Amino acid sequence: MEHETTAELNQQADMQDEQYRPSERQLERERFRRARKRRNSWIATLCTLASLVAAVAAVVASPGWDRLHSRFLDGAEFRRTFSAVLDGFWLNVRMFLIAEVLILVLGLLIALVRVTRSPGLQPLRVAATLYVDVFRGVPTLLLVFLVGFGLPALQLQGTPSQPWVLGVIALVLSYTAYVGEVLRAGLNSVHPAQRNAARALGLSESQTLRRVILPQAVRNVLPPLLNDFIALQKDTALVAVLGPLEALRVAQIKADYDFNYTPYLAAAVLFIAVTIPLTRYADRLQSRGAQRTWAEAGQ
Amino acid sequence: MSEPPLRIRGLRKAYGSRLVLRSIDLDVAEHQVVCLIGGSGSGKSTLLRCVDLLDVVDDGTVHLGGTELTDPRLDASLARRQISIVFQAYNLFPHLSVLDNITLAPRQVHKVPRRQAEETARELLARLGLADKAQDYPDRLSGGQQQRAAIARALATDPQVLLFDEITSALDPELVGEVLDVVADLKERGLTILMATHEMGFARHAADRICFLEDGVIREQGSAEQVLTDPRHESTRRFLSRVLER
Ligand SMILES: Nc1ncnc2c1ncn2[C@@H]1O[C@H](COP(=O)(O)OP(=O)(O)O)[C@@H](O)[C@H]1O
Ligand SMILES: [Mg+2]
C-alpha cells in the first residue's frame, strides 16, 4: 500500500508474540512428522545398504573376480603409479582451464553473431552457422586426429607443434560450437520486453547487452553450460592419442609395461575427483535457479 | 446445515523469523461469500495458500467439512480436490488451449471421460461468456478473458470451496467488471467463496461478511454494511479511509 508509512511497515515487520506456545495439536503434528522422517531415512539407509551388498556380492562371486582383482585393483601397483598419473593429470587440468577460457570467449562471439539482425553482419552470420554445423557434426576424437596430425603437416609458419597445444585447439574448436549454441539459446530466452525496458532507460545497444541481457542469459543457461564443461574436463583425455604425457597416456604407458591395468583406475579416480564436485555445484545452481523461478512466478 | 464447509482455528504461519499470520479464526458457511481485506503484505495470500495446503501451517487447524486438512497424515493432493484457487496472475498453462486448460484436472485427477469433460467445459465457457474461445491459447486472450478462463478451470472440478486471491488486481479497470460479474453470478448459484480483494464497492454488495486482516489476526469482521460504513476498530477505519479516498 503506497500510503503506508515506514514506521507502520517496521511495526509490522517486528510483529512478535512472546506468549505463543505451540498447541497440543501442533506438537503432535511435529512428533508425527519427525517420526515419519526418521522412518523414511531408515528405509533409505536399509535400501542403499542392501543394494550395495548385492552389487559387491555379484562382482566378487563372478568367475573372473580373481583375475580382475589382480589386474585392475592391485593396491601396491596403485600406490606405485599414482604420483606419475597425478603428474600427468596436472596437464589435463591445465588444458581444461586454458580451453575453457577460450571456449567461453569464442562461444560468446559465435552466439552474439548468430542472434544479431544487422544486415551488414550477414557474411559473419553465415560463417558462424556453417562453423557450428560442421564442428558439432565431427566427432571430437576425429577432430583431435585431424588437428593433431593435419595442422603440422601444413607446415605453415608459426603453427604450434606441441601435441598438447594442438589437442587444446581441437577441443576448443569442438566445444565452442556447443557452448555457442547454449549461449545463443540463453540470449533468446531473455524476454524482448527486457531489452525494450533497457533501451527506454537510454542504455545503448551494447550497454543493454552487457548490463541487462547477458547476465540474465547466462543465468538461464548456467546448468547446461556447466554440463558442457564437465564433459570437456573428461574429454581432455582424448588428447592422449597425440602422445602428450597427460593422465590417460601415462596410465597407458605404465599398464603396457607390466600388463597390470590398475593405473587406468588411478586415472579414472582422478577424473571423478574433479567432475563430482563440479556436478554437485551444477545441481546446486539448478535447484537454486528453480526456486528463483518459483519466487518470480509469485505464488 | 451442520458444519461450515471451511473452519479455520488458530492458524499461524511464519516465513523464517517473519511472522505473517499469528492466530486466524475464520468460518465460511455454505453458500457464503466472505471477503478478506487488509493492507498489502498483511497476509491475505498467505492465508489462502495455507487453506489450499500450498504452504505448511505452523500451528492451528483448517477443516473442510469434517476433514482436517492440516493433518499431516492426510494426502494433500486428495484433500485439495475439494478446493479450487484462482490467482491474481491467472496462471493458465500457456502450452494448452483454453479447453484443455479446463479439462486437464477433471480428466487427469477425477478421471472424467474426455467427451464428458469437454461438454462440461463448454457449458462453463458459455456461462462465462467465452464460448468462442475454447480452442484459443491463453496468450491470444485479454486479461479479463484469461481470468474468466482461470475461473472456469477452477469450477471444472466442482469444488466445495472457491478461493480467489485478488483476481481483479492485474486487470485494466474496464475489465474488472466482467470478472466481478462472474463472481456475482457464482454467488447467485450458491457457491462458497473466500476471496481476498481490494474492490470495496464489490465487497459491499456481494459479500455476506467482510474480514479485516491486520497484524496477523482478523482484527474485525462483520456484515459488509457494518464493517464498511461503521467499523468498530480504529485501524479498520484508517485502512478504509486510505483505500476509499482514491
Ligand atoms: N514465500 C515467502 N517467503 C518469505 N516471505 C514471504 C513469502 N510469501 C510471503 N511472504 C511475506 O509474507 C507477508 C505477507 O504476504 P502476502 O500473504 O502475500 O500478503 P498480501 O497478499 O496480503 O499482500 C509479506 O510481508 C511477504 O513479504
Ligand atoms: Mg497478495
Side-chain angles (χ1 to χ4, degrees), chain A residues 105-275:
Chain A
V105 173
L106 296 173
L108 185 57
L109 281 178
I110 295 278
L112 288 177
V113 166
R114 291 198 75 185
V115 295
T116 53
R117 301 229 165 67
S118 67
L121 289 177
Q122 184 61 17
L124 265 181
R125 222 160 19 239
V126 171
T129 309
L130 216 64
Y131 163 80
V132 170
D133 285 353
V134 169
F135 283 85
R136 263 201 320 184
V138 179
T140 311
L141 180 58
L142 186 53
L143 207 57
V144 172
F145 276 124
L146 283 176
V147 173
F149 300 127
L151 207 55
L154 290 176
Q155 298 191 321
L156 291 173
Q157 276 285 303
T159 49
S161 58
Q162 286 149 294
W164 75 267
V165 178
L166 292 165
V168 167
I169 292 175
L171 290 175
V172 169
L173 283 174
S174 180
Y175 273 86
T176 297
Y178 286 104
V179 169
E181 285 302 278
V182 170
L183 287 172
R184 184 165 75 106
L187 289 170
N188 285 335
S189 74
V190 180
H191 199 280
Q194 290 289 306
R195 186 175 160 280
N196 290 342
R199 294 310 302 276
L201 289 171
L203 271 67
S204 74
E205 192 73 58
S206 80
Q207 284 170 326
T208 300
L209 190 65
R210 260 187 311 139
R211 302 275 169 205
V212 178
I213 308 292
L214 210 49
Q216 298 186 58
V218 170
R219 185 183 114 170
N220 288 351
V221 295
L222 212 46
L225 216 51
L226 271 169
N227 200 29
D228 276 349
F229 284 136
I230 291 166
L232 170 69
Q233 156 64 19
K234 291 185 302 181
D235 275 359
T236 55
L238 294 176
V239 181
V241 297
L242 301 179
L245 292 176
E246 53 73 63
L248 177 57
R249 183 79 191 117
V250 171
Q252 199 179 16
I253 292 170
K254 297 278 178 200
D256 285 352
Y257 182 69
D258 58 1
F259 297 106
N260 184 318
Y261 301 113
T262 305
Y264 285 133
L265 191 72
V269 166
L270 286 169
F271 278 105
I272 291 174
V274 171
T275 50

Side-chain angles (χ1 to χ4, degrees), chain B residues 62-131:
Chain B
V62 178
H63 278 86
L64 183 69
T67 321
E68 188 199 329
L69 299 181
T70 37
D71 187 344
R73 291 164 189 80
L74 200 72
D75 178 355
S77 65
L78 224 66
R80 270 204 294 266
R81 290 179 189 185
Q82 311 298 320
I83 304 182
S84 283
I85 188 163
V86 180
F87 303 103
Q88 178 179 347
Y90 334 134
N91 296 359
L92 291 170
F93 305 120
H95 64 294
L96 297 177
S97 70
V98 168
L99 191 69
D100 290 343
N101 259 282
I102 297 173
T103 55
L104 181 71
R107 291 180 57 197
Q108 299 294 323
V109 183
H110 299 263
K111 308 296 176 201
V112 178
R114 183 199 181 102
R115 283 262 301 280
Q116 192 188 331
E118 292 192 344
E119 202 175 306
T120 315
R122 284 182 194 281
E123 276 165 25
L124 274 172
L125 283 173
R127 226 170 78 199
L128 304 197
L130 294 170

Side-chain angles (χ1 to χ4, degrees), chain B residues 183-240:
Chain B
V183 180
D185 176 57
L186 297 180
K187 176 185 158 68
E188 288 302 304
R189 286 166 185 273
L191 276 96
T192 306
I193 300 174
L194 175 60
M195 63 187 290
T197 187
H198 280 305
E199 299 291 334
M200 296 305 157
F202 174 78
R204 183 190 300 266
H205 77 256
D208 295 297
R209 211 143 42 83
I210 291 186
C211 302
F212 174 58
L213 193 59
E214 191 197 48
D215 273 344
V217 296
I218 305 247
R219 181 69 73 211
E220 170 159 7
Q221 59 176 307
S223 72
E225 201 53 38
Q226 182 258 302
V227 174
L228 291 181
T229 55
D230 182 26
R232 304 253 155 75
H233 216 278
E234 176 54 32
S235 58
T236 316
R237 202 164 300 143
R238 259 186 299 149
F239 170 77
L240 287 174

Side-chain angles (χ1 to χ4, degrees), chain B residues 48-60:
Chain B
L48 294 176
R49 277 203 309 269
C50 284
V51 171
D52 203 16
L53 303 183
L54 298 170
D55 264 335
V56 179
V57 305
D58 292 332
D59 205 339

Side-chain angles (χ1 to χ4, degrees), chain A residues 1-4 8-9 11-13 15-17 20-23 25-26 28-30 32-33 36 297-299, chain B residues 12 18-20 22 40 56-61 68 70-73 87 89 91 215-216 238 242-243 245-246:
Chain A
M1 191 97 327
E2 53 265 74
H3 301 278
E4 217 145 40
E8 269 174 295
L9 282 175
Q11 187 195 342
Q12 252 182 26
M15 178 167 75
Q16 300 284 345
D17 55 343
Y20 171 69
R21 296 278 170 278
S23 68
R25 186 79 191 90
Q26 181 65 15
E28 194 276 329
R29 232 179 251 161
E30 278 162 15
F32 170 77
R33 289 209 179 92
R36 183 171 57 185
Q299 308 294 346
Chain B
R12 179 186 177 88
R18 172 99 172 77
L19 183 57
V20 178
R22 185 156 40 174
S40 156
V56 179
V57 305
D58 292 332
D59 205 339
T61 56
E68 188 199 329
T70 37
D71 187 344
R73 291 164 189 80
F87 303 103
N91 296 359
D215 273 344
R238 259 186 299 149
R242 277 206 311 264
V243 291
E245 82 193 14
R246 278 184 293 180

